[in-house]
mmCIF file with all atom_site columns, all heavy atoms in Angstrom:
data_model
loop_
_atom_site.group_PDB
_atom_site.id
_atom_site.type_symbol
_atom_site.label_atom_id
_atom_site.label_alt_id
_atom_site.label_comp_id
_atom_site.label_asym_id
_atom_site.label_entity_id
_atom_site.label_seq_id
_atom_site.pdbx_PDB_ins_code
_atom_site.Cartn_x
_atom_site.Cartn_y
_atom_site.Cartn_z
_atom_site.occupancy
_atom_site.B_iso_or_equiv
_atom_site.pdbx_formal_charge
_atom_site.auth_seq_id
_atom_site.auth_comp_id
_atom_site.auth_asym_id
_atom_site.auth_atom_id
_atom_site.pdbx_PDB_model_num
ATOM 1   N N   . LEU A 1 98  ? -7.454 18.557 -21.321 1.00 0.00 ? 98  LEU A N   1
ATOM 2   C CA  . LEU A 1 98  ? -7.442 17.908 -22.641 1.00 0.00 ? 98  LEU A CA  1
ATOM 3   C C   . LEU A 1 98  ? -8.574 16.888 -22.744 1.00 0.00 ? 98  LEU A C   1
ATOM 4   O O   . LEU A 1 98  ? -9.022 16.350 -21.726 1.00 0.00 ? 98  LEU A O   1
ATOM 5   C CB  . LEU A 1 98  ? -6.111 17.184 -22.861 1.00 0.00 ? 98  LEU A CB  1
ATOM 6   C CG  . LEU A 1 98  ? -4.877 18.033 -23.107 1.00 0.00 ? 98  LEU A CG  1
ATOM 7   C CD1 . LEU A 1 98  ? -3.629 17.152 -23.093 1.00 0.00 ? 98  LEU A CD1 1
ATOM 8   C CD2 . LEU A 1 98  ? -4.982 18.784 -24.424 1.00 0.00 ? 98  LEU A CD2 1
ATOM 9   N N   . TYR A 1 102 ? -6.320 12.147 -25.210 1.00 0.00 ? 102 TYR A N   1
ATOM 10  C CA  . TYR A 1 102 ? -5.065 12.886 -25.212 1.00 0.00 ? 102 TYR A CA  1
ATOM 11  C C   . TYR A 1 102 ? -4.519 13.017 -23.792 1.00 0.00 ? 102 TYR A C   1
ATOM 12  O O   . TYR A 1 102 ? -3.318 12.885 -23.557 1.00 0.00 ? 102 TYR A O   1
ATOM 13  C CB  . TYR A 1 102 ? -5.242 14.277 -25.821 1.00 0.00 ? 102 TYR A CB  1
ATOM 14  C CG  . TYR A 1 102 ? -5.802 14.264 -27.231 1.00 0.00 ? 102 TYR A CG  1
ATOM 15  C CD1 . TYR A 1 102 ? -6.708 15.219 -27.638 1.00 0.00 ? 102 TYR A CD1 1
ATOM 16  C CD2 . TYR A 1 102 ? -5.424 13.299 -28.151 1.00 0.00 ? 102 TYR A CD2 1
ATOM 17  C CE1 . TYR A 1 102 ? -7.229 15.223 -28.922 1.00 0.00 ? 102 TYR A CE1 1
ATOM 18  C CE2 . TYR A 1 102 ? -5.940 13.285 -29.433 1.00 0.00 ? 102 TYR A CE2 1
ATOM 19  C CZ  . TYR A 1 102 ? -6.842 14.246 -29.813 1.00 0.00 ? 102 TYR A CZ  1
ATOM 20  O OH  . TYR A 1 102 ? -7.349 14.247 -31.079 1.00 0.00 ? 102 TYR A OH  1
ATOM 21  N N   . VAL A 1 106 ? -0.833 11.699 -22.709 1.00 0.00 ? 106 VAL A N   1
ATOM 22  C CA  . VAL A 1 106 ? 0.144  12.697 -22.268 1.00 0.00 ? 106 VAL A CA  1
ATOM 23  C C   . VAL A 1 106 ? 0.543  12.450 -20.818 1.00 0.00 ? 106 VAL A C   1
ATOM 24  O O   . VAL A 1 106 ? 1.728  12.492 -20.473 1.00 0.00 ? 106 VAL A O   1
ATOM 25  C CB  . VAL A 1 106 ? -0.413 14.132 -22.456 1.00 0.00 ? 106 VAL A CB  1
ATOM 26  C CG1 . VAL A 1 106 ? 0.452  15.155 -21.751 1.00 0.00 ? 106 VAL A CG1 1
ATOM 27  C CG2 . VAL A 1 106 ? -0.523 14.469 -23.935 1.00 0.00 ? 106 VAL A CG2 1
ATOM 28  N N   . ARG A 1 109 ? 2.746  9.331  -20.543 1.00 0.00 ? 109 ARG A N   1
ATOM 29  C CA  . ARG A 1 109 ? 4.056  9.518  -21.177 1.00 0.00 ? 109 ARG A CA  1
ATOM 30  C C   . ARG A 1 109 ? 4.946  10.462 -20.379 1.00 0.00 ? 109 ARG A C   1
ATOM 31  O O   . ARG A 1 109 ? 6.100  10.160 -20.107 1.00 0.00 ? 109 ARG A O   1
ATOM 32  C CB  . ARG A 1 109 ? 3.872  10.050 -22.610 1.00 0.00 ? 109 ARG A CB  1
ATOM 33  C CG  . ARG A 1 109 ? 5.173  10.349 -23.326 1.00 0.00 ? 109 ARG A CG  1
ATOM 34  C CD  . ARG A 1 109 ? 5.919  9.056  -23.650 1.00 0.00 ? 109 ARG A CD  1
ATOM 35  N NE  . ARG A 1 109 ? 7.179  9.346  -24.273 1.00 0.00 ? 109 ARG A NE  1
ATOM 36  C CZ  . ARG A 1 109 ? 8.356  9.154  -23.672 1.00 0.00 ? 109 ARG A CZ  1
ATOM 37  N NH1 . ARG A 1 109 ? 8.406  8.646  -22.472 1.00 0.00 ? 109 ARG A NH1 1
ATOM 38  N NH2 . ARG A 1 109 ? 9.465  9.446  -24.288 1.00 0.00 ? 109 ARG A NH2 1
ATOM 39  N N   . TYR A 1 110 ? 4.438  11.610 -20.013 1.00 0.00 ? 110 TYR A N   1
ATOM 40  C CA  . TYR A 1 110 ? 5.294  12.643 -19.451 1.00 0.00 ? 110 TYR A CA  1
ATOM 41  C C   . TYR A 1 110 ? 5.281  12.727 -17.931 1.00 0.00 ? 110 TYR A C   1
ATOM 42  O O   . TYR A 1 110 ? 6.228  13.229 -17.343 1.00 0.00 ? 110 TYR A O   1
ATOM 43  C CB  . TYR A 1 110 ? 4.936  14.001 -20.064 1.00 0.00 ? 110 TYR A CB  1
ATOM 44  C CG  . TYR A 1 110 ? 5.207  13.991 -21.545 1.00 0.00 ? 110 TYR A CG  1
ATOM 45  C CD1 . TYR A 1 110 ? 4.164  13.912 -22.452 1.00 0.00 ? 110 TYR A CD1 1
ATOM 46  C CD2 . TYR A 1 110 ? 6.501  13.999 -22.030 1.00 0.00 ? 110 TYR A CD2 1
ATOM 47  C CE1 . TYR A 1 110 ? 4.410  13.868 -23.819 1.00 0.00 ? 110 TYR A CE1 1
ATOM 48  C CE2 . TYR A 1 110 ? 6.759  13.947 -23.385 1.00 0.00 ? 110 TYR A CE2 1
ATOM 49  C CZ  . TYR A 1 110 ? 5.715  13.881 -24.271 1.00 0.00 ? 110 TYR A CZ  1
ATOM 50  O OH  . TYR A 1 110 ? 5.966  13.829 -25.610 1.00 0.00 ? 110 TYR A OH  1
ATOM 51  N N   . SER A 1 131 ? 0.963  7.444  -30.473 1.00 0.00 ? 131 SER A N   1
ATOM 52  C CA  . SER A 1 131 ? 1.822  8.504  -31.023 1.00 0.00 ? 131 SER A CA  1
ATOM 53  C C   . SER A 1 131 ? 0.985  9.648  -31.577 1.00 0.00 ? 131 SER A C   1
ATOM 54  O O   . SER A 1 131 ? 1.310  10.822 -31.382 1.00 0.00 ? 131 SER A O   1
ATOM 55  C CB  . SER A 1 131 ? 2.732  7.948  -32.115 1.00 0.00 ? 131 SER A CB  1
ATOM 56  O OG  . SER A 1 131 ? 3.628  7.018  -31.571 1.00 0.00 ? 131 SER A OG  1
ATOM 57  N N   . THR A 1 132 ? -0.094 9.316  -32.252 1.00 0.00 ? 132 THR A N   1
ATOM 58  C CA  . THR A 1 132 ? -0.987 10.342 -32.785 1.00 0.00 ? 132 THR A CA  1
ATOM 59  C C   . THR A 1 132 ? -1.624 11.136 -31.661 1.00 0.00 ? 132 THR A C   1
ATOM 60  O O   . THR A 1 132 ? -1.691 12.368 -31.722 1.00 0.00 ? 132 THR A O   1
ATOM 61  C CB  . THR A 1 132 ? -2.085 9.696  -33.661 1.00 0.00 ? 132 THR A CB  1
ATOM 62  O OG1 . THR A 1 132 ? -1.454 8.986  -34.728 1.00 0.00 ? 132 THR A OG1 1
ATOM 63  C CG2 . THR A 1 132 ? -3.023 10.730 -34.227 1.00 0.00 ? 132 THR A CG2 1
ATOM 64  N N   . TRP A 1 133 ? -2.080 10.447 -30.623 1.00 0.00 ? 133 TRP A N   1
ATOM 65  C CA  . TRP A 1 133 ? -2.691 11.139 -29.482 1.00 0.00 ? 133 TRP A CA  1
ATOM 66  C C   . TRP A 1 133 ? -1.688 12.062 -28.803 1.00 0.00 ? 133 TRP A C   1
ATOM 67  O O   . TRP A 1 133 ? -2.036 13.169 -28.394 1.00 0.00 ? 133 TRP A O   1
ATOM 68  C CB  . TRP A 1 133 ? -3.244 10.148 -28.480 1.00 0.00 ? 133 TRP A CB  1
ATOM 69  C CG  . TRP A 1 133 ? -4.455 9.397  -28.957 1.00 0.00 ? 133 TRP A CG  1
ATOM 70  C CD1 . TRP A 1 133 ? -5.252 9.706  -30.019 1.00 0.00 ? 133 TRP A CD1 1
ATOM 71  C CD2 . TRP A 1 133 ? -4.995 8.210  -28.393 1.00 0.00 ? 133 TRP A CD2 1
ATOM 72  N NE1 . TRP A 1 133 ? -6.255 8.786  -30.145 1.00 0.00 ? 133 TRP A NE1 1
ATOM 73  C CE2 . TRP A 1 133 ? -6.128 7.858  -29.162 1.00 0.00 ? 133 TRP A CE2 1
ATOM 74  C CE3 . TRP A 1 133 ? -4.642 7.415  -27.324 1.00 0.00 ? 133 TRP A CE3 1
ATOM 75  C CZ2 . TRP A 1 133 ? -6.896 6.742  -28.870 1.00 0.00 ? 133 TRP A CZ2 1
ATOM 76  C CZ3 . TRP A 1 133 ? -5.405 6.307  -27.040 1.00 0.00 ? 133 TRP A CZ3 1
ATOM 77  C CH2 . TRP A 1 133 ? -6.531 5.974  -27.812 1.00 0.00 ? 133 TRP A CH2 1
ATOM 78  N N   . LEU A 1 134 ? -0.440 11.596 -28.660 1.00 0.00 ? 134 LEU A N   1
ATOM 79  C CA  . LEU A 1 134 ? 0.591  12.432 -28.046 1.00 0.00 ? 134 LEU A CA  1
ATOM 80  C C   . LEU A 1 134 ? 0.864  13.671 -28.894 1.00 0.00 ? 134 LEU A C   1
ATOM 81  O O   . LEU A 1 134 ? 0.964  14.787 -28.376 1.00 0.00 ? 134 LEU A O   1
ATOM 82  C CB  . LEU A 1 134 ? 1.882  11.632 -27.845 1.00 0.00 ? 134 LEU A CB  1
ATOM 83  C CG  . LEU A 1 134 ? 1.857  10.594 -26.735 1.00 0.00 ? 134 LEU A CG  1
ATOM 84  C CD1 . LEU A 1 134 ? 3.097  9.716  -26.798 1.00 0.00 ? 134 LEU A CD1 1
ATOM 85  C CD2 . LEU A 1 134 ? 1.748  11.256 -25.379 1.00 0.00 ? 134 LEU A CD2 1
ATOM 86  N N   . TYR A 1 135 ? 0.974  13.480 -30.199 1.00 0.00 ? 135 TYR A N   1
ATOM 87  C CA  . TYR A 1 135 ? 1.231  14.605 -31.103 1.00 0.00 ? 135 TYR A CA  1
ATOM 88  C C   . TYR A 1 135 ? 0.098  15.627 -31.029 1.00 0.00 ? 135 TYR A C   1
ATOM 89  O O   . TYR A 1 135 ? 0.327  16.827 -30.869 1.00 0.00 ? 135 TYR A O   1
ATOM 90  C CB  . TYR A 1 135 ? 1.398  14.080 -32.534 1.00 0.00 ? 135 TYR A CB  1
ATOM 91  C CG  . TYR A 1 135 ? 1.588  15.167 -33.554 1.00 0.00 ? 135 TYR A CG  1
ATOM 92  C CD1 . TYR A 1 135 ? 2.829  15.766 -33.724 1.00 0.00 ? 135 TYR A CD1 1
ATOM 93  C CD2 . TYR A 1 135 ? 0.528  15.612 -34.331 1.00 0.00 ? 135 TYR A CD2 1
ATOM 94  C CE1 . TYR A 1 135 ? 3.007  16.780 -34.648 1.00 0.00 ? 135 TYR A CE1 1
ATOM 95  C CE2 . TYR A 1 135 ? 0.692  16.622 -35.257 1.00 0.00 ? 135 TYR A CE2 1
ATOM 96  C CZ  . TYR A 1 135 ? 1.937  17.197 -35.418 1.00 0.00 ? 135 TYR A CZ  1
ATOM 97  O OH  . TYR A 1 135 ? 2.109  18.203 -36.327 1.00 0.00 ? 135 TYR A OH  1
ATOM 98  N N   . ARG A 1 136 ? -1.128 15.150 -31.116 1.00 0.00 ? 136 ARG A N   1
ATOM 99  C CA  . ARG A 1 136 ? -2.282 16.055 -31.080 1.00 0.00 ? 136 ARG A CA  1
ATOM 100 C C   . ARG A 1 136 ? -2.460 16.685 -29.697 1.00 0.00 ? 136 ARG A C   1
ATOM 101 O O   . ARG A 1 136 ? -2.840 17.859 -29.583 1.00 0.00 ? 136 ARG A O   1
ATOM 102 C CB  . ARG A 1 136 ? -3.548 15.306 -31.491 1.00 0.00 ? 136 ARG A CB  1
ATOM 103 C CG  . ARG A 1 136 ? -3.536 14.934 -32.965 1.00 0.00 ? 136 ARG A CG  1
ATOM 104 C CD  . ARG A 1 136 ? -4.763 14.154 -33.345 1.00 0.00 ? 136 ARG A CD  1
ATOM 105 N NE  . ARG A 1 136 ? -4.711 13.757 -34.745 1.00 0.00 ? 136 ARG A NE  1
ATOM 106 C CZ  . ARG A 1 136 ? -5.521 12.881 -35.294 1.00 0.00 ? 136 ARG A CZ  1
ATOM 107 N NH1 . ARG A 1 136 ? -6.475 12.306 -34.576 1.00 0.00 ? 136 ARG A NH1 1
ATOM 108 N NH2 . ARG A 1 136 ? -5.403 12.562 -36.565 1.00 0.00 ? 136 ARG A NH2 1
ATOM 109 N N   . GLY A 1 137 ? -2.203 15.913 -28.662 1.00 0.00 ? 137 GLY A N   1
ATOM 110 C CA  . GLY A 1 137 ? -2.302 16.446 -27.299 1.00 0.00 ? 137 GLY A CA  1
ATOM 111 C C   . GLY A 1 137 ? -1.291 17.551 -27.063 1.00 0.00 ? 137 GLY A C   1
ATOM 112 O O   . GLY A 1 137 ? -1.617 18.596 -26.479 1.00 0.00 ? 137 GLY A O   1
ATOM 113 N N   . LYS A 1 138 ? -0.055 17.338 -27.523 1.00 0.00 ? 138 LYS A N   1
ATOM 114 C CA  . LYS A 1 138 ? 0.960  18.383 -27.368 1.00 0.00 ? 138 LYS A CA  1
ATOM 115 C C   . LYS A 1 138 ? 0.607  19.615 -28.180 1.00 0.00 ? 138 LYS A C   1
ATOM 116 O O   . LYS A 1 138 ? 0.831  20.743 -27.725 1.00 0.00 ? 138 LYS A O   1
ATOM 117 C CB  . LYS A 1 138 ? 2.334  17.848 -27.773 1.00 0.00 ? 138 LYS A CB  1
ATOM 118 C CG  . LYS A 1 138 ? 2.905  16.857 -26.788 1.00 0.00 ? 138 LYS A CG  1
ATOM 119 C CD  . LYS A 1 138 ? 4.346  16.497 -27.077 1.00 0.00 ? 138 LYS A CD  1
ATOM 120 C CE  . LYS A 1 138 ? 4.470  15.707 -28.347 1.00 0.00 ? 138 LYS A CE  1
ATOM 121 N NZ  . LYS A 1 138 ? 5.830  15.227 -28.604 1.00 0.00 ? 138 LYS A NZ  1
ATOM 122 N N   . ALA A 1 139 ? 0.030  19.419 -29.360 1.00 0.00 ? 139 ALA A N   1
ATOM 123 C CA  . ALA A 1 139 ? -0.383 20.568 -30.175 1.00 0.00 ? 139 ALA A CA  1
ATOM 124 C C   . ALA A 1 139 ? -1.471 21.358 -29.452 1.00 0.00 ? 139 ALA A C   1
ATOM 125 O O   . ALA A 1 139 ? -1.445 22.599 -29.423 1.00 0.00 ? 139 ALA A O   1
ATOM 126 C CB  . ALA A 1 139 ? -0.872 20.096 -31.541 1.00 0.00 ? 139 ALA A CB  1
ATOM 127 N N   . LYS A 1 140 ? -2.423 20.658 -28.844 1.00 0.00 ? 140 LYS A N   1
ATOM 128 C CA  . LYS A 1 140 ? -3.482 21.342 -28.092 1.00 0.00 ? 140 LYS A CA  1
ATOM 129 C C   . LYS A 1 140 ? -2.900 22.065 -26.881 1.00 0.00 ? 140 LYS A C   1
ATOM 130 O O   . LYS A 1 140 ? -3.325 23.174 -26.551 1.00 0.00 ? 140 LYS A O   1
ATOM 131 C CB  . LYS A 1 140 ? -4.561 20.353 -27.658 1.00 0.00 ? 140 LYS A CB  1
ATOM 132 C CG  . LYS A 1 140 ? -5.453 19.891 -28.795 1.00 0.00 ? 140 LYS A CG  1
ATOM 133 C CD  . LYS A 1 140 ? -6.546 18.984 -28.263 1.00 0.00 ? 140 LYS A CD  1
ATOM 134 C CE  . LYS A 1 140 ? -7.482 18.555 -29.355 1.00 0.00 ? 140 LYS A CE  1
ATOM 135 N NZ  . LYS A 1 140 ? -8.340 19.619 -29.848 1.00 0.00 ? 140 LYS A NZ  1
ATOM 136 N N   . LEU A 1 141 ? -1.928 21.448 -26.220 1.00 0.00 ? 141 LEU A N   1
ATOM 137 C CA  . LEU A 1 141 ? -1.295 22.090 -25.067 1.00 0.00 ? 141 LEU A CA  1
ATOM 138 C C   . LEU A 1 141 ? -0.562 23.366 -25.482 1.00 0.00 ? 141 LEU A C   1
ATOM 139 O O   . LEU A 1 141 ? -0.606 24.368 -24.770 1.00 0.00 ? 141 LEU A O   1
ATOM 140 C CB  . LEU A 1 141 ? -0.325 21.129 -24.380 1.00 0.00 ? 141 LEU A CB  1
ATOM 141 C CG  . LEU A 1 141 ? -0.957 20.037 -23.535 1.00 0.00 ? 141 LEU A CG  1
ATOM 142 C CD1 . LEU A 1 141 ? 0.114  19.056 -23.057 1.00 0.00 ? 141 LEU A CD1 1
ATOM 143 C CD2 . LEU A 1 141 ? -1.701 20.620 -22.352 1.00 0.00 ? 141 LEU A CD2 1
ATOM 144 N N   . ARG A 1 142 ? 0.120  23.315 -26.626 1.00 0.00 ? 142 ARG A N   1
ATOM 145 C CA  . ARG A 1 142 ? 0.807  24.510 -27.120 1.00 0.00 ? 142 ARG A CA  1
ATOM 146 C C   . ARG A 1 142 ? -0.166 25.658 -27.315 1.00 0.00 ? 142 ARG A C   1
ATOM 147 O O   . ARG A 1 142 ? 0.111  26.796 -26.941 1.00 0.00 ? 142 ARG A O   1
ATOM 148 C CB  . ARG A 1 142 ? 1.507  24.205 -28.440 1.00 0.00 ? 142 ARG A CB  1
ATOM 149 C CG  . ARG A 1 142 ? 2.979  23.973 -28.278 1.00 0.00 ? 142 ARG A CG  1
ATOM 150 C CD  . ARG A 1 142 ? 3.685  23.795 -29.604 1.00 0.00 ? 142 ARG A CD  1
ATOM 151 N NE  . ARG A 1 142 ? 4.338  22.499 -29.561 1.00 0.00 ? 142 ARG A NE  1
ATOM 152 C CZ  . ARG A 1 142 ? 3.979  21.425 -30.215 1.00 0.00 ? 142 ARG A CZ  1
ATOM 153 N NH1 . ARG A 1 142 ? 2.978  21.466 -31.047 1.00 0.00 ? 142 ARG A NH1 1
ATOM 154 N NH2 . ARG A 1 142 ? 4.615  20.306 -30.074 1.00 0.00 ? 142 ARG A NH2 1
ATOM 155 N N   . ILE A 1 143 ? -1.321 25.341 -27.879 1.00 0.00 ? 143 ILE A N   1
ATOM 156 C CA  . ILE A 1 143 ? -2.340 26.374 -28.103 1.00 0.00 ? 143 ILE A CA  1
ATOM 157 C C   . ILE A 1 143 ? -2.876 26.868 -26.760 1.00 0.00 ? 143 ILE A C   1
ATOM 158 O O   . ILE A 1 143 ? -3.005 28.076 -26.538 1.00 0.00 ? 143 ILE A O   1
ATOM 159 C CB  . ILE A 1 143 ? -3.477 25.825 -28.984 1.00 0.00 ? 143 ILE A CB  1
ATOM 160 C CG1 . ILE A 1 143 ? -2.954 25.570 -30.395 1.00 0.00 ? 143 ILE A CG1 1
ATOM 161 C CG2 . ILE A 1 143 ? -4.662 26.775 -29.000 1.00 0.00 ? 143 ILE A CG2 1
ATOM 162 C CD1 . ILE A 1 143 ? -3.895 24.762 -31.268 1.00 0.00 ? 143 ILE A CD1 1
ATOM 163 N N   . MET A 1 144 ? -3.177 25.939 -25.851 1.00 0.00 ? 144 MET A N   1
ATOM 164 C CA  . MET A 1 144 ? -3.748 26.296 -24.558 1.00 0.00 ? 144 MET A CA  1
ATOM 165 C C   . MET A 1 144 ? -2.777 27.123 -23.707 1.00 0.00 ? 144 MET A C   1
ATOM 166 O O   . MET A 1 144 ? -3.191 27.993 -22.949 1.00 0.00 ? 144 MET A O   1
ATOM 167 C CB  . MET A 1 144 ? -4.148 25.035 -23.789 1.00 0.00 ? 144 MET A CB  1
ATOM 168 C CG  . MET A 1 144 ? -5.308 24.283 -24.419 1.00 0.00 ? 144 MET A CG  1
ATOM 169 S SD  . MET A 1 144 ? -5.505 22.615 -23.765 1.00 0.00 ? 144 MET A SD  1
ATOM 170 C CE  . MET A 1 144 ? -6.109 22.951 -22.129 1.00 0.00 ? 144 MET A CE  1
ATOM 171 N N   . LEU A 1 145 ? -1.480 26.833 -23.845 1.00 0.00 ? 145 LEU A N   1
ATOM 172 C CA  . LEU A 1 145 ? -0.482 27.498 -23.002 1.00 0.00 ? 145 LEU A CA  1
ATOM 173 C C   . LEU A 1 145 ? 0.196  28.671 -23.710 1.00 0.00 ? 145 LEU A C   1
ATOM 174 O O   . LEU A 1 145 ? 1.184  29.200 -23.216 1.00 0.00 ? 145 LEU A O   1
ATOM 175 C CB  . LEU A 1 145 ? 0.565  26.480 -22.535 1.00 0.00 ? 145 LEU A CB  1
ATOM 176 C CG  . LEU A 1 145 ? 0.018  25.389 -21.633 1.00 0.00 ? 145 LEU A CG  1
ATOM 177 C CD1 . LEU A 1 145 ? 1.059  24.302 -21.412 1.00 0.00 ? 145 LEU A CD1 1
ATOM 178 C CD2 . LEU A 1 145 ? -0.435 25.968 -20.307 1.00 0.00 ? 145 LEU A CD2 1
ATOM 179 N N   . GLY A 1 147 ? 1.599  28.758 -26.875 1.00 0.00 ? 147 GLY A N   1
ATOM 180 C CA  . GLY A 1 147 ? 2.541  28.464 -27.945 1.00 0.00 ? 147 GLY A CA  1
ATOM 181 C C   . GLY A 1 147 ? 3.979  28.284 -27.547 1.00 0.00 ? 147 GLY A C   1
ATOM 182 O O   . GLY A 1 147 ? 4.663  27.431 -28.058 1.00 0.00 ? 147 GLY A O   1
#
Side-chain angles (χ1 to χ4, degrees):
L98 288 172
Y102 303 142
V106 168
R109 177 70 183 110
Y110 297 105
S131 295
T132 301
W133 290 345
L134 287 170
Y135 177 80
R136 291 178 182 168
K138 289 189 292 185
K140 286 184 178 289
L141 285 173
R142 259 185 238 108
I143 292 168
M144 292 166 71
L145 296 170

